Amino acid sequence: MAEFQLIERYFSGLSGTRQDVALGVGDDCALLEAPPGMRLAMTMDTLIAGRHFLPDVAPRALGHKVLAVNLSDLAAMGARPAWALLSISLPAIDHEWLSAFSAGFSALAAEHDVALVGGDTCQGHMSITLQLTGFVEPGRALRRSTARPGDKIYVTGTLGDAALALKRLLADEDPGDLRQRLEQPCPRIAEGRALSGAGATSCIDLSDGLVADLGHICQQSGCAARILLERIPMSAQVREYVSVTGDFALAVAGGDDYELCFTLPAGEAPPDGVEAACIGEMLPGQGVELLDARSRALPLPRGWEHFA
Amino acid sequence: MAEFQLIERYFSGLSGTRQDVALGVGDDCALLEAPPGMRLAMTMDTLIAGRHFLPDVAPRALGHKVLAVNLSDLAAMGARPAWALLSISLPAIDHEWLSAFSAGFSALAAEHDVALVGGDTCQGHMSITLQLTGFVEPGRALRRSTARPGDKIYVTGTLGDAALALKRLLADEDPGDLRQRLEQPCPRIAEGRALSGAGATSCIDLSDGLVADLGHICQQSGCAARILLERIPMSAQVREYVSVTGDFALAVAGGDDYELCFTLPAGEAPPDGVEAACIGEMLPGQGVELLDARSRALPLPRGWEHFA
């Protein structure tokens, strides 16, 4: 089957029903109508087999995840998702695999009204790149560079679930409920939208681990952050793992959580619909400091870094 | 060096000077201002080492080529380029390689006023994905689906140069001047813009070879195409090769030319600034027919197809 037919077959079913897609998959470019008065938010992420996902992951979960990690970047800006372009590189055509991948992608795309408008398929090592565009009102985009000393630091959800699931899978243990957290993360689009309208002073999504990602806010905002280990929200499984092993790195530096970390001015509460734990505060200075229950500084585990 | 610093170092120098980039590389998303009244044209292509380029290609040439092949898709729609996102996967950090790649990308980006606004770097087999966005006036976008029987078929430039260069490189021969045509194609942006204002009835860029790409126009327009081998524009080197070997497949099905193939109503000439040869005409029916000098049908060589 020719590349062209392959693209048509699997991608055209993912084109959605958006009115702003003047021309979708099938020509040299897609043609799109940007909404007047909105800024475009654009992101692109690549997932590589063996590096970002286990090569034997269920393709349906992978179809979900590649969209979810990019949706998470839009969430971190407070943007509303719109259009995607997808490039898939596979060792060989596998219709069963592609159907399942499409189904996983499609279900999450429908949930967030994302239209797949273009893409590319190649033969090669398994690797997937997704480019996603969304919309955000000028002045409402959440940035990494605008936190201020005195702001309180929050995170949504629980941290470390994905890292614990991965740890168990790599040890040939059943991760149970946590598999879902690793393989099919839930991007915090609604929370990002609520925060962008509610005066959050900065935001980032947690892909590389809390310490590394909060470190980006610190670096770009010219501030320090102090966070308290006992405030880090953890699921029962992660809490038990940490209390048994003492290995808190999983919760503060495990990647792939796709929760939001954001800052609010002191005295302001997260807006309705955003469940988040206050884990510390921004300070003058630089870098991230992690304190234990007796206010002693803990050694910082490193986050996930490509090429590291 | 962390991924983050790597991105900053090589990508931030490619951000250009566009006023419509509100926020470039360095946050979760780029923030961009779409021009009112224009449609966005979006494309994305992946190049994989060993499949789309020779693994030992000069990185400067590769930086040029990955942008050029995407610019060529914009050219085929009649769009003006604007913003790029780039994902690079490399086996290891190689500063010399990245510097040269950036320099090649940067030179062509400056020529077409393209800003690199985001991207991703990963460790993996060498592979590069570029997503490119441009602008085109509504109603002026060139499509594949709008050719009509009776229209004349044109191509810009000369065909087969890239395929002949690749053939020579693979045989350990020096491709001479033709190396440039393979490794640093010149996207026909100016020609695409001129054609979109001049009533071209369809257009496609030649990436997979004339027969395959013109076949897409036929299929999507519901027409047939008849082209004459003696009218196919060839460089002196390709003409000599074809006359010595009889192997005309190179000129009519060799990929990587990145010339434009377009149709005009009979009696209309290409607009000023578009040098193009008339190679045949659209007819009722379906499929591409190739005739020799005595009007006999020639067997159709297949074009380049991924997964083929």
Side-chain angles (χ1 to χ4, degrees):
Chain A
M1 178 181 281
E3 175 195 27
F4 188 74
Q5 295 165 292
L6 187 70
I7 294 175
E8 288 289 306
R9 177 159 165 187
Y10 291 102
F11 288 8
S12 54
L14 306 178
S15 59
T17 56
R18 295 185 65 92
Q19 296 300 305
D20 54 11
V21 179
L23 184 66
V25 170
D27 212 305
D28 292 290
C29 294
L31 294 173
L32 304 155
E33 290 173 44
M38 298 288 273
R39 288 226 165 120
L40 302 176
M42 298 179 99
T43 185
M44 182 160 83
D45 274 307
T46 295
L47 300 186
I48 297 178
R51 185 142 193 100
H52 301 95
F53 60 91
L54 298 175
D56 63 353
V57 69
R60 190 180 168 102
L62 187 60
H64 174 106
K65 184 158 180 174
V66 68
L67 179 55
V69 304
N70 281 281
L71 283 167
S72 184
D73 284 320
L74 291 189
M77 300 298 284
R80 183 156 47 86
W83 313 308
L85 292 97
L86 176 66
S87 174
I88 303 185
S89 164
L90 288 178
I93 292 182
D94 179 337
H95 291 291
E96 202 178 332
W97 193 97
L98 281 163
S99 289
F101 178 91
S102 296
F105 186 97
S106 181
L108 188 61
E111 198 178 312
H112 293 283
D113 198 16
V114 169
L116 187 72
V117 300
D120 196 13
T121 53
C122 321
Q123 189 178 26
H125 295 272
M126 192 185 289
S127 159
I128 300 161
T129 299
L130 190 84
Q131 190 277 327
L132 192 60
T133 299
F135 313 137
V136 61
E137 298 78 2
R140 272 186 53 176
L142 301 170
R143 311 265 293 256
R144 298 176 176 182
S145 56
T146 41
R148 297 161 305 195
D151 289 348
K152 301 295 183 186
I153 306 167
Y154 294 80
V155 292
T156 60
T158 55
L159 304 190
D161 296 332
L164 184 54
L166 180 61
K167 195 177 181 77
R168 294 200 164 145
L169 283 173
L170 292 175
D172 276 329
E173 294 167 18
D174 180 4
D177 295 351
L178 296 179
R179 181 193 287 270
Q180 177 94 356
R181 292 277 292 155
L182 173 66
E183 295 185 351
Q184 296 189 262
C186 175
R188 298 295 189 180
I189 291 290
E191 288 82 352
R193 292 292 296 158
L195 289 167
S196 78
T201 53
S202 72
C203 190
I204 192 168
D205 76 314
L206 298 179
S207 53
D208 297 341
L210 175 63
V211 168
D213 289 320
L214 180 55
H216 295 325
I217 288 184
C218 289
Q219 188 188 6
Q220 293 190 34
S221 296
C223 303
R226 176 182 292 157
I227 55 177
L228 309 176
L229 182 58
E230 63 181 357
R231 299 262 196 101
I232 307 293
M234 297 180 211
S235 63
Q237 294 101 314
V238 169
R239 190 165 298 283
E240 188 193 345
Y241 169 86
V242 171
S243 81
V244 169
T245 62
D247 175 19
F248 60 83
L250 202 84
V252 301
D256 265 2
D257 283 322
Y258 302 103
E259 297 295 345
L260 296 182
C261 176
F262 60 93
T263 55
L264 287 176
E268 291 194 16
D272 285 350
V274 178
E275 289 186 39
C278 180
I279 61 167
E281 65 182 332
M282 303 301 293
L283 297 169
Q286 57 184 9
V288 176
E289 191 180 32
L290 175 66
L291 301 185
D292 71 9
R294 295 188 225 168
S295 296
R296 291 175 306 200
L298 291 164
L300 284 183
R302 295 185 62 197
W304 165 270
E305 283 175 353
H306 308 291
F307 285 119
Chain B
M1 177 180 284
E3 175 195 28
F4 188 75
Q5 295 165 293
L6 186 72
I7 292 175
E8 287 291 304
R9 176 160 166 188
Y10 291 101
F11 289 6
S12 54
L14 305 178
S15 58
T17 56
R18 298 185 63 93
Q19 296 299 306
D20 54 12
V21 179
L23 184 65
V25 170
D27 212 305
D28 292 291
C29 295
L31 293 173
L32 305 155
E33 291 172 44
M38 298 288 274
R39 288 227 166 119
L40 302 176
M42 300 181 99
T43 185
M44 182 159 84
D45 274 306
T46 294
L47 301 186
I48 297 178
R51 183 142 194 102
H52 301 95
F53 60 91
L54 299 174
D56 62 352
V57 69
R60 190 181 167 102
L62 187 61
H64 174 106
K65 185 159 179 173
V66 70
L67 179 54
V69 304
N70 280 280
L71 283 167
S72 184
D73 283 320
L74 291 188
M77 300 298 284
R80 184 155 47 85
W83 314 309
L85 291 97
L86 176 66
S87 174
I88 303 185
S89 166
L90 288 177
I93 292 182
D94 178 338
H95 291 291
E96 202 178 331
W97 193 97
L98 281 163
S99 290
F101 178 92
S102 296
F105 185 97
S106 181
L108 187 61
E111 197 177 312
H112 293 283
D113 197 17
V114 170
L116 188 72
V117 300
D120 195 14
T121 54
C122 321
Q123 189 179 24
H125 295 271
M126 192 185 290
S127 159
I128 301 160
T129 299
L130 191 84
Q131 191 277 327
L132 192 60
T133 300
F135 312 137
V136 61
E137 297 79 1
R140 271 185 55 176
L142 302 170
R143 312 266 293 257
R144 298 176 175 180
S145 56
T146 41
R148 296 161 305 193
D151 288 348
K152 300 296 183 184
I153 305 166
Y154 293 80
V155 293
T156 60
T158 55
L159 304 191
D161 296 334
L164 184 55
L166 180 61
K167 195 177 182 76
R168 293 200 164 143
L169 282 172
L170 291 175
D172 276 330
E173 295 167 17
D174 180 3
D177 296 350
L178 296 180
R179 179 192 289 270
Q180 177 92 359
R181 293 277 291 156
L182 173 66
E183 295 184 352
Q184 296 189 263
C186 175
R188 299 293 190 180
I189 292 290
E191 288 82 351
R193 293 292 296 158
L195 289 168
S196 79
T201 53
S202 73
C203 189
I204 194 169
D205 77 313
L206 298 179
S207 53
D208 296 341
L210 175 64
V211 168
D213 290 320
L214 180 54
H216 294 325
I217 289 184
C218 289
Q219 188 188 7
Q220 294 190 35
S221 296
C223 303
R226 176 182 291 156
I227 55 177
L228 309 175
L229 182 58
E230 64 182 354
R231 300 260 196 100
I232 307 292
M234 297 180 210
S235 63
Q237 295 100 313
V238 169
R239 191 165 296 284
E240 188 193 344
Y241 169 86
V242 172
S243 80
V244 168
T245 62
D247 175 20
F248 60 84
L250 201 84
V252 301
D256 264 1
D257 283 321
Y258 302 103
E259 298 294 344
L260 296 182
C261 175
F262 59 93
T263 55
L264 288 177
E268 289 193 20
D272 285 350
V274 179
E275 290 186 37
C278 180
I279 62 167
E281 64 182 333
M282 302 302 292
L283 298 168
Q286 58 183 5
V288 177
E289 189 180 34
L290 176 66
L291 301 184
D292 71 8
R294 293 187 227 170
S295 296
R296 291 176 306 199
L298 291 165
L300 285 183
R302 295 185 64 197
W304 165 270
E305 285 175 351
H306 309 292
F307 284 119

